[in-house]
Amino acid sequence: MRHLLCGLAAKPALTPDAIDRLIEVADDDIGAALAGRADLSRTQVVALAARVETSAVRLAYEGRLTAADIDPRARPDAALALLDQGLGPEDWARLFAADPDPERREKLAACPGLPADVVATLTADRDMRVVVELASWADPDTAAALADHPHAEVRRAVATNEATPPAVLGALLVGEGLSAPRRCPGCDRKPRYPRLSALGCDGTHESAVHDVRVATLRNAATPAEAVVAFVSTVEHPSTALRWALAGRPDLAAQACVRLATDPVPGIRGELAENPAIDDAVIRTLARDHDPEVRRRLAHHPRVPLGVLRELARTSRIGSALLPRIATATAAEVDGLAAAPDPVVRMLVAQRRDLPPAVRDRLVGDADAKVAKSVAAHPGLSEGQLRALVDRYGVRVHARVAANPDAPAALLEEVARHEPPARKALREVARHPVATAGALLACLADERARPIVAGRPELESSVVVELLDDADWQVVEAAAANPALPAAVVAELLRRV
């Protein structure tokens, strides 16, 4: 019954009385569906917030509740949601700063624009999680003050905060101008990594300081000059430091060259996607022995087309539209579509803005993977789509069914094909012109059933039958279906 009610709560055009009844029995899940309705009256919004706190939080974030609607003691999470948007009164911030529940103080610490006295209270909080959360989201002045905190975990949070002043981030990276930390997760025997839970700290806090540096390198706000000063770490024994360095878009050319031969494949793979690398480094990485490095290089937005052709030949790139292919000029597209390697033609066939002449040439390609890639391209005629189906059969059914211009009759033929192509059934199930007959055929696939159950093209009798389905997702979708008769809705609500 609960899944039925969740579905009904999302059903369009419910009567106000039906919505009121659902609010009366709402739990978190039913409340979530109700909170997503745009037709709730002001009275219903307030009633739902009073009934279900998780819904109150969502309604507060969506601007449908104000401070006047919320008692912070009765609905603390909703009150914190308003504070998180800078909309709650300062007295609420002071109330939660003294709350005995550390999770609420932690949520408060992430809120913007807190009064100075509240920030001071949170800075001195006895629970380090609260201080860490404050440091993660603090304004520049507070972040700068917390950078010299005695606990290394607070410093690490400052290092991740993009509002931290660049000079402070530089100091955290090179370790100058700050006192040495006096505590760390190892001292507390609460490391972030459970497998290290038995380990303590030898007093040097070396591991924690290392983590601070890694976090600082990953922060986009860390100034390039600080990174340059730290660039010798490309030869640092720490894999994590070199890995973080490899992803920085302001990485110096010399560091890129050195990291291109790093012994760790993951670091070379990170570098392969970095926009900072030049053509020379790209060509070095294109010869990398690790296939994942070459695959990631193929996704670089500036990889030369000649290199990309070679990568397509030696790597399993997949069928996604690559950034360099997406930005290819008309002349480049024409050249790629005429390439002798079918993998290259397949990659350009993924574009959905091909000139008609190029598109039509690829539709007639002799290679199935090329034709499959172009089959979903808009603008194909019914004749072209049928020709693809006739030539390649079930191998192209899913992509043909995904074509926005696929006619209803062809979709029905694809859906009724024996044996069925499961992926094709899922595409037909969501196609806007699919007929009721095609949709009935799609019910044979368990992943298509929830999609079909929500389609208003179904006969109302079929929708009612689906209310008894063994799959709860199908039940919810059927209950939310606009084709579900009002009389059935009324009867279901009478049984609650």
Side-chain angles (χ1 to χ4, degrees):
M1 190 64 177
R2 178 167 155 273
H3 295 304
L4 278 169
L5 295 178
C6 285
L8 288 178
K11 179 178 167 63
L14 282 180
T15 66
D17 287 345
I19 295 174
D20 288 341
R21 180 60 181 141
L22 287 166
I23 291 174
E24 289 174 5
V25 299
D27 58 11
D28 283 353
D29 292 330
I30 298 169
L34 287 168
R37 299 186 67 93
D39 59 352
L40 295 181
S41 68
R42 173 77 179 147
T43 300
Q44 288 170 334
V45 166
V46 174
L48 178 59
R51 169 80 185 180
V52 183
E53 180 155 19
T54 53
S55 296
V57 172
R58 174 174 176 175
L59 293 167
Y61 272 117
E62 292 179 352
R64 300 166 80 181
L65 290 172
T66 68
D69 300 318
I70 297 173
D71 177 349
R73 289 181 171 82
R75 285 288 178 260
D77 288 342
L80 284 164
L82 286 184
L83 283 169
D84 191 33
Q85 301 172 83
L87 300 175
E90 291 186 353
D91 286 348
W92 286 7
R94 296 186 178 94
L95 172 70
F96 288 118
D99 196 297
D101 185 344
E103 289 189 6
R104 290 177 186 159
R105 301 198 306 275
E106 189 175 354
K107 288 180 181 177
L108 176 67
C111 295
L114 295 174
D117 60 309
V118 171
V119 172
T121 299
L122 295 173
T123 299
D125 198 282
R126 61 186 179 278
D127 192 310
M128 199 51 57
R129 292 173 299 176
V130 176
V131 188
V132 167
E133 190 70 9
L134 180 69
S136 298
W137 303 102
D139 60 34
D141 290 342
T142 303
L146 289 172
D148 206 30
H149 194 278
H151 204 291
E153 194 69 359
V154 175
R155 299 186 186 204
R156 181 181 177 278
V158 171
T160 67
N161 187 343
E162 292 191 5
T164 300
V168 175
L169 289 170
L172 286 168
L173 181 60
V174 300
E176 294 180 357
L178 299 173
S179 61
R182 298 196 295 275
R183 293 198 65 79
C184 71
C187 299
D188 301 336
R189 292 190 176 273
K190 295 178 181 177
R192 288 192 308 283
Y193 308 108
R195 67 184 180 84
L196 300 179
S197 59
L199 301 179
C201 175
D202 61 3
T204 65
H205 318 297
E206 181 180 356
S207 177
V209 171
H210 170 270
D211 284 355
V212 171
R213 286 178 170 157
V214 171
T216 308
L217 280 173
R218 293 192 185 281
N219 191 332
T222 300
E225 55 268 24
V227 176
V228 169
F230 199 70
V231 79
S232 61
T233 55
V234 295
E235 296 170 352
H236 194 284
S238 166
T239 297
L241 278 172
R242 301 196 315 276
W243 204 311
L245 196 62
R248 288 198 61 89
D250 56 359
L251 194 58
Q254 183 183 9
C256 292
V257 170
R258 293 158 74 182
L259 287 169
T261 58
D262 194 278
V264 179
I267 291 174
R268 303 195 305 274
E270 187 76 13
L271 183 70
E273 295 181 339
N274 192 328
I277 61 177
D278 59 20
D279 282 3
V281 172
I282 287 176
R283 294 181 189 281
T284 296
L285 293 170
R287 298 188 297 270
D288 198 283
H289 62 83
D290 190 282
E292 179 63 12
V293 174
R294 300 196 305 273
R295 187 196 67 79
R296 293 179 71 173
L297 182 64
H299 288 78
H300 194 284
R302 289 187 295 96
V303 60
L305 287 180
V307 173
L308 186 55
R309 288 173 185 251
E310 183 62 21
L311 291 171
R313 189 182 66 80
T314 63
S315 310
R316 298 178 66 88
I317 296 175
S319 59
L321 177 60
L322 300 176
R324 181 62 181 89
I325 299 290
T327 59
T329 65
E332 289 172 334
V333 165
D334 195 60
L336 291 167
D341 188 342
V343 176
V344 175
R345 302 197 303 274
M346 177 192 72
L347 293 176
V348 76
Q350 292 294 334
R351 280 186 58 152
R352 295 295 174 256
D353 60 348
L354 294 172
V358 173
R359 177 200 65 201
D360 293 347
R361 188 197 319 162
L362 292 171
V363 168
D365 199 283
D367 192 283
K369 58 180 171 287
V370 178
K372 180 179 177 181
S373 295
V374 80
H377 196 292
L380 295 183
S381 68
E382 180 176 357
Q384 287 174 311
L385 292 171
R386 286 189 177 278
L388 283 170
V389 170
D390 291 342
R391 192 183 313 132
Y392 297 111
V394 294
R395 286 180 292 176
V396 298
H397 276 192
R399 301 313 298 150
V400 166
N403 191 299
D405 298 316
L410 181 56
L411 292 173
E412 189 157 347
E413 291 173 25
V414 167
R416 294 186 180 281
H417 185 273
E418 290 292 341
R422 296 290 178 176
K423 289 183 179 179
L425 293 181
R426 296 158 202 165
E427 294 293 349
V428 173
R430 61 174 64 93
H431 201 289
V433 304
T435 63
L439 293 173
L440 285 175
C442 294
L443 288 172
D445 181 73
E446 62 181 14
R447 288 172 60 182
R449 286 176 73 82
I451 304 170
V452 175
R455 293 294 299 266
E457 294 85 359
L458 291 177
E459 293 287 339
S460 60
S461 59
V462 175
V463 178
V464 173
E465 288 178 11
L466 291 173
L467 294 177
D468 294 321
D469 198 89
D471 185 337
W472 66 268
Q473 296 176 92
V474 175
V475 172
E476 285 197 7
N481 194 320
L484 186 66
V488 176
V489 174
E491 176 58 29
L492 291 172
L493 290 176
R494 275 195 294 271
R495 285 195 243 154
V496 177

